[in-house]
Amino acid sequence: MVMAGHFHQPQTGVRILDEFTYLVGLLGRGVDLFFVLSGYLVGGLLLKEYRDTEKILPGRFLLRRVFKIWPPYYFLICFHLLARHHPARTFFWQNFFHLQNYLGSSLRQTWTLSIEEHFYLLLALVFAFAASRRFKPATILKLCAALSLLAFVARSITAALGNYDGAMRWTQNRIDSLLFGVMLALLYYFFPGVYARLTARAYPLLAIIGLSMLGILYVDDPLLFLGPGLVVIYLAAGAFLLLVNQHSGRLTEWWIYRAIAWIGVYSYALYLWHSVMLGIGDKVIARFPALIAWVLAPAIQFAGAVAIAFLTTHLVEWPFLRWRESISWLRDTTPLGT
């Protein structure tokens, strides 16, 4: 979804195709699904540790994230520095210190990663404190809800002051979607009865997704979108997560489901590297008739991004994960990709 929203496509002059291109551009909102899914999976690692051991080791958790996130990320930064695709002043120090969501960056996609880095540092410390005080799961759930409300208020104030970019990108304004994923993980690990009731039937989840998306399509006011609009989007993302998690059924046997799952193995590298294909997409658009480029440009961008992701995952990401698993006190039974 994020790649579809970022990849370049030409205007064809054919109304139905250009309207489809516009709708595909809206898929860039997949970043909110990414935040909810991340909170559910990565935050769930801390919650599972708390459930199983009644304690949380923040240093171990954060170091495991360092092995996962930093080697591919800094490899990307060094690549752009050496390739000189962007002036160094437009991205290097901002990304090096994970401040690109505040200071801006010519690497357009990495602002979300800085939010992730800030959030999981905060989450690990807060959850470690909660574990040391033997907070009950219900108390942790209320704490997450309170922090989500504060993030919503902060974002709404920032937007009301006219800083729409800050409302969208600053960490304190966006962690409610991540916290929503964490709250879903809390229900999964500590309140299985509530989780089961929420996911018992597919139709209510489908209704939430459909109504939310229809509503967002007609929201033009930036204050409305950046305030309750983003809440509606991450609620829909959570409903989609639950739908896939609980109601995939025989869909898991379909080739397209398996293909998406295979692509998901390389999702982090795709996130990092897909933007290098934008220039190639522009060249295709410039050299071919609009109708041909409308099909060819996104296909080439997508295929190229998958190829680069495949190589960098095998050459950079996975060797460091294997190194991590060779260290006894960092070893875990979670899958290689986490």
Side-chain angles (χ1 to χ4, degrees):
M1 290 172 64
V2 171
M3 288 191 296
H6 288 174
F7 285 158
H8 295 168
Q9 281 187 272
Q11 293 293 305
T12 64
V14 180
R15 182 177 178 181
I16 189 171
L17 296 182
D18 290 341
E19 287 184 353
F20 180 78
T21 298
Y22 169 74
L23 291 175
V24 167
L26 295 178
L27 291 176
R29 298 310 322 151
V31 67
D32 295 283
L33 174 57
F34 163 64
F35 280 153
V36 173
L37 182 62
S38 178
Y40 181 78
L41 293 175
V42 182
L45 296 175
L46 286 167
L47 293 170
K48 183 177 183 296
E49 181 182 3
Y50 189 36
R51 185 196 65 181
D52 295 344
T53 68
E54 297 186 345
K55 61 182 180 180
I56 289 176
L57 301 176
R60 180 178 177 277
F61 168 80
L62 292 171
L63 193 53
R64 282 182 61 84
R65 302 312 300 163
V66 164
F67 271 89
K68 166 68 177 176
I69 300 298
W70 284 10
Y73 173 68
Y74 283 113
F75 181 73
L76 174 81
I77 301 305
C78 291
F79 168 82
H80 281 289
L81 184 66
L82 295 175
R84 298 183 179 181
H85 288 161
H86 312 261
R89 67 179 183 278
T90 66
F91 75 93
F92 183 74
W93 291 113
Q94 301 94 309
N95 284 273
F96 187 86
F97 290 111
H98 300 283
L99 294 173
Q100 61 268 32
N101 63 322
Y102 290 99
L103 303 179
S105 171
S106 55
L107 301 182
R108 58 178 295 186
Q109 77 275 21
T110 61
W111 67 273
T112 58
L113 185 59
S114 61
I115 293 175
E116 291 258 313
E117 292 288 85
H118 304 158
F119 175 73
Y120 286 118
L121 175 60
L122 172 66
L123 188 71
L125 296 177
V126 169
F127 274 16
F129 174 80
S132 69
R133 295 297 186 272
R134 296 290 191 270
F135 280 15
K136 295 180 179 180
T139 303
I140 298 176
L141 186 62
K142 292 175 183 177
L143 177 62
C144 289
L147 292 174
S148 295
L149 179 61
L150 287 175
F152 169 77
V153 171
R155 181 171 68 248
S156 299
I157 291 173
T158 305
L161 293 174
N163 189 348
Y164 299 150
D165 189 67
M168 178 66 73
R169 295 173 183 259
W170 290 354
T171 300
Q172 70 271 21
N173 295 335
R174 293 308 309 275
I175 61 172
D176 51 341
S177 53
L178 285 149
L179 283 164
F180 183 62
V182 173
M183 287 189 282
L184 292 178
L186 262 163
L187 296 181
Y188 178 83
Y189 285 111
F190 292 99
F191 303 95
V194 176
Y195 183 88
R197 288 194 293 274
L198 282 177
T199 60
R201 303 183 65 180
Y203 294 117
L205 298 174
L206 285 168
I208 292 172
I209 296 167
L211 292 173
S212 299
M213 293 301 98
L214 283 175
I216 290 301
L217 285 175
Y218 295 100
V219 174
D220 294 324
D221 186 279
L223 292 178
L224 190 59
F225 176 80
L226 291 169
L230 287 179
V231 176
V232 169
I233 289 176
Y234 72 66
L235 289 176
F240 180 73
L241 186 158
L242 297 177
L243 182 72
V244 174
N245 202 28
Q246 299 300 125
H247 297 282
S248 294
R250 297 188 64 181
L251 288 176
T252 58
E253 301 174 6
W254 290 17
W255 70 268
I256 192 168
Y257 194 103
R258 294 174 181 271
I260 293 172
W262 181 85
I263 291 171
V265 172
Y266 304 99
S267 57
Y268 180 45
L270 279 169
Y271 160 80
L272 290 176
W273 289 94
H274 74 275
S275 62
V276 303
M277 295 301 298
L278 298 180
I280 295 175
D282 290 336
K283 292 179 180 179
V284 172
I285 292 169
R287 293 183 181 181
F288 289 89
L291 286 175
I292 295 176
W294 189 82
V295 176
L296 196 59
I300 289 176
Q301 289 171 96
F302 184 79
V306 170
I308 296 170
F310 180 87
L311 288 174
T312 56
T313 297
H314 284 273
L315 294 176
V316 181
E317 182 179 342
W318 284 1
F320 276 93
L321 290 181
R322 293 189 183 96
W323 181 19
R324 182 186 73 179
E325 298 310 310
S326 71
I327 303 172
S328 59
W329 68 281
L330 287 178
R331 191 177 302 128
D332 201 359
T333 58
T334 53
L336 183 64
T338 59

